[in-house]
Amino acid sequence: MNSSGQINDQFAKDLRGFGPVGIIAILIILLTGNIILPNMIVLPVGAVLVLLWVRLSKTPWSAIGYVKPKSWLITIFIGIIFGVVFKFFMKAVVMPLFDADPINQSYHFLAGNKALLPAAIWAMLAAGFGEETVFRGYMFERLKKLFGNSIAMKCLIILITSILFGLAHYSNQGIPGVEQALITGFVFGAIYAATQKIWIVMIAHAAFDLTALAMIYWNWETNVAHWIFK
């Protein structure tokens, strides 16, 4: 093997490890996340960096859940249905128990906003791809390497990634955003831990966010929030 190949192999090993290079990679990916530009333009830079990390570290794609499903049609169908139902359940049942404001004040500017609707739809799709790739695919792989793959450690990993996922929503959605993200993080994390495939949670996440967008755009939020708790 020539010196270039040895350097590449060493760099790949360092990226897979938890020395300075591996820790820096984790911090860069987590702190980058989705970059939000003016007019709701979302760039899933963190997820793109994860894909680059997989390539440079010579990690199997299956390690971050990028595994071809038995049926794309069934996976897409289940993901969409689950994501939509889950959002209505969170809005009508769970969030009222936290005494959350029925109106998502952070994104209420999208109500009836036709000009920003295309960008908002893209943002919801980008969030599904970006956040699941980072918080489920990448972080599960990193933490499994660190803690192991026992049932107890899987539960710990679900907890840690859910907390990180919740905190990532504080800056633009405040405490209600953290509460919702913690719960969705637990649910999506549990599904991913059980299946080891990312597509269904990625699709469900995008469907969840698109349903939230529909509620905001058509001013359904208050009505849905009061379906059960008047």
Side-chain angles (χ1 to χ4, degrees), residues 24-226:
I24 290 171
I26 292 172
L27 291 175
I28 290 174
I29 288 169
L30 283 179
L31 294 176
T32 303
N34 292 328
I35 294 179
I36 303 176
L37 302 178
N39 296 320
M40 288 290 293
I41 303 299
V42 174
L43 303 177
V45 177
V48 172
L49 291 176
V50 169
L51 303 186
L52 181 62
W53 174 88
V54 170
R55 186 67 179 268
L56 294 178
S57 68
K58 300 180 181 180
T59 298
W61 290 102
S62 59
I64 64 165
Y66 277 53
V67 180
K68 183 179 179 180
K70 292 181 180 179
S71 170
W72 279 107
L73 186 62
I74 292 174
T75 299
I76 292 170
F77 177 77
I78 292 175
I80 290 174
I81 295 299
F82 179 76
V84 171
V85 172
F86 187 29
K87 177 57 190 178
F88 274 96
F89 178 75
M90 289 293 296
K91 192 70 175 180
V93 179
V94 178
M95 295 312 294
L97 293 175
F98 286 94
D99 198 28
D101 188 340
I103 300 296
N104 186 332
Q105 300 295 343
S106 299
Y107 291 102
H108 190 61
F109 67 91
L110 291 171
N113 193 333
K114 292 182 179 179
L116 282 181
L117 187 58
I121 291 172
W122 160 252
M124 302 304 106
L125 295 172
F129 160 68
E131 292 175 354
E132 292 309 313
T133 297
V134 171
F135 289 100
R136 254 59 72 181
Y138 177 68
M139 287 309 299
F140 265 70
E141 192 281 339
R142 295 286 72 202
L143 292 172
K144 280 195 297 183
K145 284 286 181 65
L146 197 60
F147 298 136
N149 200 30
S150 67
I151 294 176
M153 289 302 100
K154 282 184 178 180
C155 291
L156 178 61
I157 291 168
I158 292 170
L159 176 62
I160 292 172
T161 54
S162 298
I163 291 172
L164 291 173
F165 185 57
L167 292 175
H169 288 75
Y170 179 76
S171 62
N172 65 339
Q173 296 187 50
I175 295 299
V178 173
E179 293 168 343
Q180 177 170 255
L182 275 171
I183 296 168
T184 57
F186 274 118
V187 173
F188 290 149
I191 293 171
Y192 181 70
T195 64
Q196 295 298 298
K197 296 179 181 179
I198 203 165
W199 307 115
I200 197 162
V201 290
M202 190 182 288
I203 294 165
H205 188 146
F208 183 99
D209 286 351
L210 286 170
T211 303
L213 173 61
M215 290 180 184
I216 295 169
Y217 184 79
W218 282 302
N219 280 307
W220 294 345
E221 288 191 288
T222 301
N223 288 337
V224 175
H226 291 161

